[in-house]
Each structure stands twice: as structure tokens, then as C-alpha cells.
Amino acid sequence: MVRRRYRVIVLLAASMALAACSGPARDTVPTLHRALPAEPESLDPHKARSIQAADVLRDIGEGLVGYSPTGELVPAAAERWTVSDDGRAYTFYLRGDARWSNGDPLLAEHFAFGLRRLVAPETAAFYATMLADVENAAAIVAGREPPDTLGVEALDERTLRLRLTRPTPYILSLLTHPSTYPVHPASVAAHGDAFARPGRLLSNGAYILRSWAPGSKLELVRNPAYWADAETAVDAVTYHVIVQP
């Protein structure tokens, strides 16, 4: 009996040693693994509301303005902007090489479309009040005005103007929030609210959503169409949903 138990222990030890040597499958490309304490409720920038969703959205999307690694406001999808003398009009000039992940040019109208969708009552966006200081935003959210009266205008393909009800110096920091990211109009027209799923969700940021296993993980790969792709140091990001770290 003792000898039999000894054999079992040896076999178990050998099995554990082999398992330890084999280890988990290695990433084929440099991959950053990150933990999410909860499942993102959506990757639609207007349906998302949690920090977890925002973390992922900041990897796959980009706003007009962003933050530097040291926390300073810097140009992002817009290469520069100007402010009117009265502080009530901001004009943004988009980068000429800004593209969606399918190769489509990123246009000023895509930002305008997204901002109108953000405040439209039927969207019921959690962050609709983010644009409270933009002309007519409050009236649109309340249902008193149509979304196309919002104080946002694409002057041409690469120029976007925001009109404010009053000088709002912090508007630039608000425009770093994922709810103000552009939305690809043709994708919304083709798929409705289901446009923000793997295989459909187009990116204008550094990464593309490759797969999403609910309750398990989200896999992102680099977006070669991103205007700053040469500066992307990590080829892939995998978010693991770990509710009890």
C-alpha cells in the first residue's frame, strides 16, 4: 500500500513538472495584458458609461484632443485648433493622414455626426451633458430642438467648428473623453446599434478590436491605418475580465 501511494505521488509530481515546463501558450507578438475588474457594458462610445469601457475605447478610438504621457493636452486626431477672440468658437483642423481602420479618410463630418448622436434623446447617452456648453445642446437633450441644430459644423472635409454658448476654457479637456470620439456613419447605417462589435467596429485609434469573449477577454491588435502607427510600441493588447483579482 505504501509503495502504491509512493508511485502515485511520483506520477503526480512528474505530471506537475511537465505542466510547469510547458507553461501557457506564448504570445506570437509583443502583447500587453491588462486586467478589467468588470465587463465593459458596450464599446459604443455613446452607450458606454464605465471606466472599464473607457479604458478599452481609449485604445481603439481617438478624439480631437488627447493627453501626453505627462498629462498635458495635446493635438490628437486634430493637428491644431484656433479659438475665436470671444472664446465661443473653436475650430479644429484634422490631420490629413487620419484614417479609419478600413482605410476610409477620417472626416470632420464624422465628428459632427458623433456629437449630434451623443446629444440625441433617442440615443439616451449617459454622457450627453458633456456638451452642455455647446450651442443648443441642452435644448436637444431635452427634446426641444432637433440634433441637427447642435452648434457643430463641418466647414470642409478636414475642418470642424464648435460654437459655444459662453467661453468654456475646459472644453478641450472634455473633448478627450471617449463619448466625444468620432463615429463612422456608414457603419451605423449598416448595423444600427450593433456596429460596435468585433468585425464591425471601425477604429481611428491605435488598435482594432479583434475579438471579444464576454466574461473572459477582449483582444486588440494594432491598427496599421492609424496616423501614428509608427509610434505604437506594443503590437497587441489583451484585456482580461478578472472580477476577483
Side-chain angles (χ1 to χ4, degrees):
M1 180 66 70
V2 173
R3 183 174 297 176
R4 183 177 301 172
R5 289 179 179 174
Y6 176 76
R7 287 178 180 174
V8 171
I9 293 172
V10 170
L11 288 173
L12 286 173
S15 299
M16 293 172 66
L18 287 172
C21 291
S22 60
R26 295 184 179 275
D27 298 317
T28 57
V29 298
T31 303
L32 174 65
H33 292 270
R34 300 184 62 182
L36 289 176
E39 181 85 12
E41 64 283 351
S42 175
L43 291 181
D44 179 335
H46 302 142
K47 303 292 185 180
R49 57 189 295 173
S50 67
I51 294 174
Q52 292 76 36
D55 284 344
V56 181
L57 284 169
R58 289 190 176 96
D59 276 344
I60 62 180
E62 183 176 66
L64 294 163
V65 186
Y67 283 110
S68 73
T70 55
E72 299 168 317
L73 287 169
V74 294
E79 62 183 359
R80 62 187 178 93
W81 57 82
T82 59
V83 185
S84 63
D85 291 340
D86 64 1
R88 292 180 54 192
Y90 283 69
T91 304
F92 298 88
Y93 302 88
L94 272 60
R95 298 178 184 276
D97 54 353
R99 294 266 186 285
W100 291 98
S101 51
N102 69 344
D104 286 356
L106 176 64
L107 305 178
E109 182 56 37
H110 298 163
F111 276 96
F113 175 83
L115 295 176
R116 295 183 193 117
R117 185 173 182 264
L118 173 61
V119 297
E122 58 268 24
T123 304
F126 182 74
Y127 291 106
T129 55
M130 191 74 70
L131 301 182
D133 291 310
V134 177
E135 282 186 1
N136 289 330
I140 295 169
V141 172
R144 298 193 301 270
E145 296 287 347
D148 60 6
T149 63
L150 183 68
V152 57
E153 179 184 7
L155 302 181
D156 58 38
E157 288 189 347
R158 300 287 182 179
T159 311
L160 181 78
R161 177 168 294 162
L162 284 183
R163 301 187 306 275
L164 309 177
T165 58
R166 58 174 181 157
T168 311
Y170 54 83
I171 191 69
L172 292 176
S173 62
L174 296 182
L175 294 176
T176 68
H177 193 270
S179 64
T180 67
Y181 287 1
V183 174
H184 192 263
S187 296
V188 177
H191 305 295
D193 287 344
F195 80 94
R197 296 178 181 174
R200 297 176 180 175
L201 181 59
L202 296 182
S203 305
N204 77 305
Y207 295 94
I208 300 169
L209 177 65
R210 182 173 67 182
S211 66
W212 184 354
S216 178
K217 64 182 179 180
L218 298 87
E219 294 181 311
L220 280 57
V221 294
R222 70 188 299 151
N223 174 14
Y226 179 47
W227 66 270
D229 180 55
E231 300 174 19
T232 301
V234 179
D235 288 337
V237 180
T238 298
Y239 283 91
H240 300 269
V241 180
I242 304 174
V243 296
Q244 292 184 334

